[in-house]
């Protein structure tokens, strides 16, 4: 469980840069999020407490004053400590130039963790955005100014250069993940294997080695996580969410979503439209 306040936004596919989500959370002991994948960049900064961040086969034990990057279409899990659960702020973003901005602040998929002593400043950037009741043109520019200040504070911090041999995904797995993200509405394990020129059995062995998931499990995980994002950040119908995420029938999507998150897609959308006090 966690207490959070959050805002979700829709970004035009033509945008150079735009916010997809922003928020802050206070987690309960042992609170777990994931495994999950997202179609956008996400940066968390820990204000207090500690916990574990897992990305692929690498585990980081983190505490207040540290943060971590999540890149698009990458499987991650994070778990609050049972004795000192963490609180954190986050910013999600996407756009044509998003990768370029990440490169400039010297964090990356293989170096996702950083230190920063700018706790007040980073939290204040998020709080300023949360105080905006809507993202009109004026407020959108204000929010982006906060976003770039947020990045500037991270850029002055220290990247934690922890690398392991198994942290870099196999080239075929990387290709497969990219294919999934671009063909989610119709991808199958067979079409995925064909796209990367491997037989199904060998592709499965690569996924199990690199991600500890079969291709089918990864696709299912990606679909339900993408569906959750669409419910949070768009007003398209439940039927359209199901279709875009590759579910042939809305009833099947609803059943999978309720089994995963405990409530129906409609209930989830209603609850995320109400930002709880923190």
């Amino acid at each position: 469980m966690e207490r959070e306040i959050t805002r979700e936004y829709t970004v035009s596919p033509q945008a150079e840069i735009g916010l997809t989500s922003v928020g802050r959370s206070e987690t309960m002991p042992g609170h777990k999020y994931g495994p999950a994948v997202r179609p956008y960049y996400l940066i968390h900064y820990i204000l207090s407490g500690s916990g574990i961040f897992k990305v692929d086969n690498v585990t980081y034990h983190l505490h207040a004053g540290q943060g971590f990057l999540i890149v698009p279409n990458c499987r991650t899990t994070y778990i609050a400590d049972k004795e000192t659960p963490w609180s954190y702020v986050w910013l999600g973003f996407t756009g044509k130039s998003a990768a370029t901005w990440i490169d400039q602040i010297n964090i990356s998929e293989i170096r996702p963790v950083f230190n920063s002593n700018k706790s007040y400043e980073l939290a204040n950037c998020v709080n300023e955005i949360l105080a905006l009741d809507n993202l009109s043109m004026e407020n959108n520019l204000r929010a982006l100014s906060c976003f770039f200040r947020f990045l500037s504070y991270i850029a002055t911090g220290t990247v934690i250069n922890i690398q392991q041999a198994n942290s870099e995904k196999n080239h075929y797995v990387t290709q497969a993940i990219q294919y999934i993200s671009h063909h989610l509405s119709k991808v199958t394990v067979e079409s995925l294997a064909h796209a990367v020129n491997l037989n199904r059995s060998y592709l499965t062995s690569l996924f199990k080695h690199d991600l500890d998931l079969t291709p089918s499990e990864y696709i299912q995980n990606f679909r339900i996580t993408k569906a959750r994002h669409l419910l949070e950040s768009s007003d398209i119908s439940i039927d359209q969410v199901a279709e875009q995420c590759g579910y042939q029938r809305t009833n099947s999507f609803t059943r999978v979503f309720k089994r995963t998150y405990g409530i129906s897609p409609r209930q989830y959308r209603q609850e995320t439209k109400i930002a709880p006090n923190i």
Side-chain angles (χ1 to χ4, degrees), residues 133-144:
D133 56 1
N134 63 76
L135 283 194
S136 61
M137 176 57 70
E138 178 184 0
N139 284 348
N140 183 57
L141 292 174
R142 289 181 179 177
L144 286 176

Side-chain angles (χ1 to χ4, degrees), residues 13-182:
Q14 288 74 44
E16 287 295 324
I17 196 76
L19 291 171
T20 58
S21 61
V22 59
R24 64 180 188 265
S25 294
E26 294 179 359
T27 62
M28 299 295 287
H31 172 73
K32 177 181 179 181
Y33 188 89
V37 290
R38 300 170 181 79
Y40 52 86
Y41 288 94
L42 190 62
I43 298 177
H44 283 67
Y45 179 74
I46 305 163
L47 300 174
S48 64
S50 59
I52 292 173
F53 170 57
K54 297 181 179 181
V55 52
D56 293 334
N57 295 322
V58 183
T59 297
Y60 300 91
H61 297 267
L62 305 179
H63 54 74
Q66 297 181 311
F68 54 91
L69 167 72
I70 297 173
V71 302
N73 308 325
C74 188
R75 177 175 175 261
T76 60
T77 302
Y78 34 102
I79 308 168
D81 187 81
K82 293 182 179 179
E83 300 297 329
T84 57
W86 50 18
S87 65
Y88 46 68
V89 292
W90 75 86
L91 284 175
F93 56 99
T94 190
K96 296 179 180 178
S97 64
T100 301
W101 284 105
I102 286 296
D103 289 341
Q104 292 186 32
I105 61 175
N106 204 31
I107 55 177
S108 66
E109 180 177 2
I110 63 173
R111 294 187 299 175
V113 176
F114 62 91
N115 289 322
S116 177
N117 60 3
K118 302 289 186 180
S119 179
Y120 173 80
E121 291 87 347
L122 289 165
N124 192 52
C125 289
V126 170
N127 289 336
E128 285 187 35
I129 299 173
L130 290 172
L132 302 173
D133 56 1
N134 63 76
L135 283 194
S136 61
M137 176 57 70
E138 178 184 0
N139 284 348
N140 183 57
L141 292 174
R142 289 181 179 177
L144 286 176
S145 71
C146 293
F147 164 71
F148 285 118
R149 278 196 287 124
F150 189 92
L151 292 187
S152 74
Y153 295 134
I154 294 173
T156 62
T158 303
V159 174
I160 302 173
N161 192 16
I162 303 173
Q163 299 185 44
Q164 297 182 12
N166 61 359
S167 67
E168 295 187 19
K169 291 188 290 294
N170 181 283
H171 174 68
Y172 287 111
V173 174
T174 300
Q175 278 189 312
I177 290 172
Q178 291 173 347
Y179 183 87
I180 292 169
S181 68
H182 291 113

